């Protein structure tokens, strides 16, 4: 039986935090207080309020029900009563350009429409396709490292982690060489735009990206290539094809997930290793632990902290005596679930040989991340090649000086200054 049951009682359990610090309620994900020590808040919620009605920056005073324990998060992401589309639910306050993506992207759909889109777009993510990309990622990382030298100080995020998925995305989408600088500008607006320009201005800039993708679709219709965009244009399942808006939404999703998540995962993984020198030494001595290390990086860093912020209760539900009303936003806090001591012994310990490691970094169920194998592959190759080339790599600043960008549900460092060695 699912951990989510129909309502029997109302009310949100609350009590004072267990240490000397106090918590101002409602807890707001993305606030400076939360970002300064998110795992303090996650720990408190798991113990004291495993279903918590809080807030999120960018959403104002809209209620968001946060689920923080591992087993409950697993129940939420696999429960058919938690849906992307619920008639009458309060929609996210999105401008037209961003609304188009939620109207046509598969992550904002429920079955059977979600499954229809997933079948159509899944072919470029087969193991064979990922294997072909792995050779290219290996080449790109080695070329980047060839341009660096021992003793050099770099921002590993900007100079190494970022170019890897940028190159992969350009080639997967089939962006012509002459357009790649322009395309990167669109990506930067998409990833940083809301934080830099605000929602409305970012959406206006995104309209230029939509117009460019329409041009690119026409180019690939006339001149097909061996790229994902050509594949999306020509994919067919029992006579069903993707509309142009669905293709554009999929490219947006590919950029958002394949670019944003991957370069942050590489950056956060290197940061975790550099701040845990015993684990870095272990990986250098046992390079065959790289697959296990990537899984622990996924669990420990919480790069993507939650499911998509567009999941709603399709009916009144009760969990831990808290009623989640129909139409309310419900988020499974995956970063919290992955530090749940009931599931992971010593959850705050970074252990690259951890086994078992059934983390939820890519979620579970029907909406399991389609690009999980791609992100794993890029991270594995990027970190392995970096450590092989510069085994004495070290932080150029104190660990306490590393700062997170205040974006709710994402753990993105402002930068990662290192000295190569």
């Amino acid at each position: 039986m699912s951990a989510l049951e129909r309502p029997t009682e109302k009310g949100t359990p609350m009590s004072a935090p267990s240490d000397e610090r106090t918590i101002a309620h409602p807890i707001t994900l993305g606030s400076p207080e939360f970002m300064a020590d998110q795992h303090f808040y996650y720990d408190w919620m798991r113990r004291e309020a495993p279903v918590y009605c809080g807030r999120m920056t960018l959403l104002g005073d809209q209620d968001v029900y946060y689920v923080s324990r591992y087993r409950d998060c697993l129940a939420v992401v696999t429960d058919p009563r938690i849906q992307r589309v619920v008639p009458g639910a309060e929609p996210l306050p999105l401008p037209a350009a961003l609304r188009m993506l939620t109207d046509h992207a598969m992550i904002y759909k429920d079955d059977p429409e979600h499954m229809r889109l997933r079948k159509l777009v899944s072919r470029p993510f087969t193991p064979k396709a990922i294997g072909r990309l792995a050779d290219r990622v290996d080449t790109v990382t080695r070329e980047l490292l060839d341009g660096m030298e021992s003793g050099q100080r770099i921002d590993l995020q900007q100079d190494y982690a970022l170019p890897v998925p940028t190159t992969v995305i350009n080639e997967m989408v089939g962006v012509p060489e002459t357009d790649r600088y322009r395309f990167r500008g669109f990506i930067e607006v998409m990833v940083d735009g809301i934080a830099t320009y605000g929602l409305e201005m970012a959406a206006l800039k995104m309209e230029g990206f939509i117009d460019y993708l329409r041009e690119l679709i026409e180019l690939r219709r006339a001149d097909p290539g061996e790229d994902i965009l050509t594949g999306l244009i020509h994919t067919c399942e029992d006579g069903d094809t993707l509309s142009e808006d669905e293709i554009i939404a999929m490219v947006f999703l590919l950029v958002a997930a394949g670019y944003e998540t991957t370069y942050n995962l590489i950056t956060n993984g290197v940061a975790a290793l550099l701040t845990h020198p015993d684990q870095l030494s272990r990986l250098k001595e046992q390079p065959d632990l790289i697959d296990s290390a990537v899984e622990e990086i996924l669990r420990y860093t919480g790069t993507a902290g939650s499911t998509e912020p567009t999941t709603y209760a399709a009916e009144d539900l009760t969990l831990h005596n808290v009623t989640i009303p129909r139409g309310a936003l419900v988020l499974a806090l995956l970063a919290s679930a992955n530090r749940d001591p009931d599931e992971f012994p010593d959850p705050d310990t970074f252990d690259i040989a951890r086994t078992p490691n059934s983390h939820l970094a890519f979620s579970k169920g029907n909406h399991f991340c389609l690009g999980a194998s791609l992100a794993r592959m890029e991270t594995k190759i990027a970190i392995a090649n970096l450590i092989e080339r510069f085994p004495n790599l070290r932080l150029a600043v104190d660990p306490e000086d590393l700062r997170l960008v205040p974006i709710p549900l994402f753990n993105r460092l402002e930068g990662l200054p290192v000295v190569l060695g």
Side-chain angles (χ1 to χ4, degrees), residues 40-267:
F40 166 71
Y41 289 91
Y42 289 151
D43 179 67
W44 183 86
M45 283 192 280
R46 284 194 305 269
R47 287 183 291 104
E48 307 293 342
V51 179
Y52 180 87
C53 184
R55 301 286 187 275
M56 185 192 303
T57 56
L58 301 180
L59 294 184
D61 60 358
Q62 184 171 351
D63 285 346
V64 185
Y65 285 82
Y66 295 114
V67 178
S68 53
R69 292 179 181 172
Y70 181 95
R71 291 296 170 187
D72 298 334
C73 287
L74 185 59
V76 164
V77 299
T78 56
D79 194 305
R81 293 170 295 169
I82 302 297
Q83 299 181 1
R84 264 62 177 175
V85 180
V86 174
E90 183 177 355
L92 294 178
L94 297 177
L98 300 180
R99 176 60 60 190
M100 178 197 143
L101 304 183
T102 63
D103 287 343
H104 297 284
M106 67 178 185
I107 61 171
Y108 302 114
K109 301 286 188 179
D110 299 308
D111 288 338
E113 183 64 9
H114 163 261
M115 188 53 63
R116 167 194 166 254
L117 291 171
R118 194 175 181 97
K119 284 182 178 179
L120 287 169
V121 305
S122 62
R123 291 179 179 178
F125 295 94
T126 61
K128 184 178 180 180
I130 298 301
R132 287 196 301 268
L133 282 171
D135 293 336
R136 183 62 182 137
V137 172
D138 185 65
T139 299
V140 169
T141 55
R142 292 187 185 279
E143 288 176 349
L144 288 167
L145 295 169
D146 285 344
M148 303 172 185
E149 58 186 33
S150 184
Q152 181 181 357
R153 173 173 168 151
I154 66 169
D155 181 347
L156 188 129
Q157 181 191 67
Q158 296 297 314
D159 298 331
Y160 184 67
L162 194 58
V164 174
T166 300
T167 301
V168 171
I169 292 298
N170 272 293
E171 295 186 3
M172 286 184 73
V173 175
V175 179
E177 285 283 351
T178 54
D179 286 354
R180 293 199 172 179
Y181 182 81
R182 180 185 178 194
F183 192 76
R184 177 167 177 172
F186 287 133
I187 290 175
E188 289 173 350
V189 168
M190 183 174 176
V191 173
D192 296 323
I194 293 176
T196 303
Y197 306 108
L199 199 59
E200 294 292 338
M201 183 57 68
L204 285 175
K205 292 179 178 290
M206 293 272 279
E207 289 179 0
F209 194 15
I210 293 173
D211 292 339
Y212 172 74
L213 289 177
R214 294 194 191 281
E215 296 172 12
L216 191 57
I217 289 170
E218 288 306 308
L219 175 65
R220 285 291 164 258
R221 288 190 196 279
D223 183 20
E226 295 183 1
D227 52 73
I228 191 173
L229 185 57
T230 298
L232 293 174
I233 291 168
H234 295 287
T235 190
C236 182
E237 183 80 21
D238 297 328
D240 188 19
T241 59
L242 294 167
S243 70
E244 184 170 287
D245 285 350
E246 287 171 342
I247 294 171
I248 291 172
M250 184 58 200
V251 174
F252 268 105
L253 176 59
L254 179 67
V255 171
Y259 175 87
E260 165 81 356
T261 302
T262 302
Y263 93 80
N264 286 322
L265 187 58
I266 294 169
T267 304

Side-chain angles (χ1 to χ4, degrees), residues 385-397:
N385 286 352
L386 174 68
I387 293 172
E388 179 186 45
R389 185 70 61 89
F390 296 109
N392 296 318
L393 176 79
R394 68 182 190 276
L395 278 177
V397 297

